[in-house]
Amino acid sequence: MRVVIAGGHGKIARLLEHHLAERGDTAVGLIRNPDQAPALRAASATPVVCDLEHADVTELAGHLDAADAVIFAAGAGPGSGVARKDTVDRAAAALLADAATRAGIHRYLLVSSMGVDDPPADGTDDVWAAYLRAKRAAEDDLRTRDLAWTVLRPGRLTDDAPTGRVTLTRHAGRGAISRADVAHVLAALLDTPHTAGATLELVGGSTPITDAVHAART
């Protein structure tokens, strides 16, 4: 399987790239900064420089050639302002969907966030509120498309070692999850077509990842 990952230098993305390579798949990571290329090669991924805030659909679709699936794991990141939450977390996700459609790729996984169903509470930091709105808008856009999409909403992310056991369901409740376990769940979702059309929340739990993914339903 050839998988193109937007946000290829992110922590989850690099863990996923390494995991995909270990199991014999090919990971391609889209990055904005060419200085990040060595880190992707160290994760056994092929780096491709493509600035999702400035690329057009034709350029991006060209980078998806021969891919079997795409994963949107990009984000504006710490220190970014309100405007970039929209241009990256929403608009770039939509651009990837446009490019996937043009390139004839049907499988699309979106890494979103828990907490996007409700409007931000009064007093919420403006940047965090913009992030939640952008993620919700990206989800809403994806649901309108003729793609085999799955939305994954992880809980609070940690850098803890993976446990291989999770809770994966439509309403998981608040909790934490290691980035490594998120990466392994994403890989398992790629192998599980029946999760297309599902929006799934993910936190640590007691169910082995393979079992949790196979039990997940729309």
Side-chain angles (χ1 to χ4, degrees):
M1 182 181 295
R2 183 177 179 87
V3 183
V4 178
I5 304 168
H9 187 255
K11 290 182 178 181
I12 291 173
R14 280 179 286 157
L15 291 162
L16 174 59
E17 289 155 2
H18 181 73
H19 179 55
L20 290 173
E22 281 189 326
R23 69 181 207 171
D25 294 320
T26 299
V28 177
L30 303 179
I31 53 175
R32 181 171 58 92
N33 183 352
D35 292 341
Q36 296 170 342
L40 268 70
R41 294 191 186 99
S44 301
T46 301
V48 171
V49 178
C50 180
D51 186 343
L52 296 177
E53 291 180 275
H54 296 96
D56 62 24
V57 66
T58 300
E59 176 189 350
L60 182 52
H63 295 312
L64 306 184
D65 184 51
D68 299 291
V70 297
I71 298 176
F72 188 83
S80 57
V82 169
R84 293 198 68 229
K85 299 304 181 190
D86 183 71
T87 58
V88 178
D89 292 280
R90 180 199 60 80
L95 178 65
L96 183 63
D98 289 338
T101 299
R102 180 168 296 195
I105 299 162
H106 204 49
R107 191 70 168 118
Y108 184 124
L109 305 185
L110 174 68
V111 181
S112 186
S113 175
M114 292 180 68
V116 303
D117 282 330
D118 300 317
D122 291 342
T124 300
D125 173 78
D126 287 346
V127 175
W128 180 248
Y131 169 79
L132 293 175
R133 292 190 184 101
K135 284 297 188 186
R136 178 55 189 261
E139 290 187 11
D140 289 345
D141 172 81
L142 190 57
R143 293 187 184 102
T144 69
R145 297 178 181 267
D146 185 23
L147 294 170
W149 55 264
T150 302
V151 173
L152 183 65
R153 296 174 171 177
R156 180 175 56 83
L157 295 170
T158 75
D159 291 321
D160 294 341
T163 68
R165 294 178 177 272
V166 301
T167 296
L168 180 69
T169 184
R170 284 185 290 177
H171 303 290
R174 297 292 180 177
I177 183 75
S178 75
R179 290 177 172 88
D181 281 327
V182 175
H184 283 230
V185 168
L186 288 167
L189 288 169
L190 289 172
D191 301 331
T192 316
H194 79 256
T195 60
T199 299
L200 301 168
E201 295 185 349
L202 174 65
V203 295
S206 59
T207 305
I209 286 174
T210 300
D211 294 343
V213 171
H214 279 286
R217 292 290 186 271
T218 57

